[in-house]
Amino acid sequence: MKRRDFLRMIGLTSVASGLSPFALQKALAEGLSGAAPKRLIVLSSCHGWTYDGWKMRPEGLSDNTAWETSLNSMSENQFSEALAPLFPHRQRLLALDGLSLATAELDLDGYRHQKGWIQAWTGNWAYFSGTELGAQSPSLDQFIASRIAASDKLPSIEISVNAGGPELGRPINHTGHGLPLPMESSPQKLWQRLFGPSQSPDPLQSLQGSVLDYARAEHKALANRLGAADRQKLEMHFDLLGGLSNRIETMSNLSCGDIPLVSTNDSFSDYDQAFDAFSELVATAFACDITRVASMSLGDMPSSHFGWGDITDDVHKGLAHEIYNNDDAHRAMTVYTAYHARQIARLVSLLESIPDTDGNSVMDNTLIIWGSELANGWHGYLNYCPVLIGGSWHFNTGRYMHWPHETPIQLLGPQGYTQTSGK
């Protein structure tokens, strides 16, 4: 299938758009002139999906042809196990079956997890710094944030949900050529970043603007002694500081409704508790327009948390790596994906419960993208299965879409290299 046909089928308004930063910029920017802004949430989970536990095959539909079906016309027992928890929100879903993360296979050798999360969220090649991999382009969330963020608010928030798991959330957020952005793993610290300036202000905060004004006056006195290039660099530096000062002042004077309370005594060692605490903070930040872009990188949850602690306490090597060697491991990782789907369903319901300024809900003005750094825990890139939730102002949602693998790129599979890949 040609690219323009693929884009037309997923319901985009222009064949120049796609599942790319430029397409999503266009989709999210559509709301900037209205009463309520559009928002983006990126959710990235570890180890991909077990394809057989994720895919849906309504009767009579083939693996070898392109087709789509309405999720709204399907019953809950027709949903796959991995996606069944999202059945109540089926009218918001766009499930894409027929994609591959082929560019990661074509990237440098090794580092399959790392180059996977760089490729998945930046759409560009990784580079090797000599000690680790870095990104060459901004990640999707940062590209969108640079275009839809309010100048006096936080451009984005980056979260890592780590509670109790052996592996941390992946570093998926990049501003450009270099190492990733830091992520916040403490709900208490995120609360302080979002609401601290207005709810528990720093006594020295009011003096920061005066210090910046003094520094700018000193700069003006010095500017005539500098060359053009140095003057430009210094101006850029002060512009950034000025923007920061403006943001601090706005956040200090924030007036917002029901701000969630986060106990300083709570360690959030339970994975669900941590996920739900972060979800409430993101939802409130959206409702108060503190930020319009958030990402949650989901670290591993303990295997006991989703009912498989008697098999192994190592989700990565004990289960994800063994999906093609052990039926129990395959089953466990399907349950693992379904557990994340239940968490995401709770997030969607929370956003639906919050009224927005245009009379709709916050969820009605939010697009969620759920992806991963791999297609499966065996380090494969073949069946990459992202799900879009929301964005119905731009996307034709409530659909499951399938395309056969026809792209002539060889990808590593459990039986060796395939001759073709997905889109």
Side-chain angles (χ1 to χ4, degrees), residues 85-120:
L86 291 168
F87 177 80
H89 305 293
R90 59 196 178 281
Q91 77 281 1
R92 298 188 185 274
L93 302 185
L94 187 57
L96 306 178
D97 178 357
L99 307 183
S100 296
L101 199 57
T103 53
E105 190 78 74
L106 300 175
D107 209 341
L108 70 165
D109 291 337
Y111 302 97
R112 294 185 74 87
H113 280 276
Q114 294 93 326
K115 68 183 182 182
W117 68 63
I118 290 171
Q119 287 276 356

Side-chain angles (χ1 to χ4, degrees), residues 117-188:
W117 68 63
I118 290 171
Q119 287 276 356
W121 297 115
T122 72
N124 201 356
W125 308 109
Y127 80 91
F128 186 56
S129 67
T131 57
E132 55 190 313
L133 296 192
Q136 299 195 50
S137 302
S139 52
L140 174 69
D141 59 300
Q142 295 302 300
F143 182 93
I144 298 301
S146 69
R147 284 153 175 80
I148 71 169
S151 61
D152 58 347
K153 305 289 180 61
L154 296 180
S156 61
I157 52 179
E158 295 75 42
I159 296 166
S160 178
V161 184
N162 302 329
E167 295 192 8
L168 307 182
R170 314 311 199 192
I172 63 172
N173 310 104
H174 294 81
T175 56
H177 191 94
L179 298 178
L181 289 169
M183 296 184 295
E184 185 52 72
S185 59
S186 163
Q188 291 96 336

Side-chain angles (χ1 to χ4, degrees), residues 8 20 100 129 145 242 280 314 409:
R8 174 183 55 77
S20 69
S100 296
S129 67
E280 285 210 26
D314 186 346
I409 297 176

Side-chain angles (χ1 to χ4, degrees), residues 303-364:
S303 56
S304 58
H305 204 70
F306 56 100
W308 290 82
D310 57 330
I311 300 295
T312 179
D313 60 359
D314 186 346
V315 173
H316 187 164
K317 295 180 179 178
L319 296 176
H321 280 191
E322 298 299 315
I323 59 169
Y324 294 127
N325 303 323
N326 185 301
D327 290 342
D328 283 342
H330 190 282
R331 168 87 178 124
M333 292 308 294
T334 300
V335 174
Y336 175 94
T337 304
Y339 202 102
H340 278 316
R342 281 195 292 276
Q343 293 174 322
I344 295 168
R346 293 201 304 270
L347 171 60
V348 174
S349 294
L350 174 63
L351 295 172
E352 287 178 336
S353 72
I354 300 174
D356 212 342
T357 56
D358 61 356
N360 294 308
S361 72
V362 170
M363 184 62 221
D364 289 327

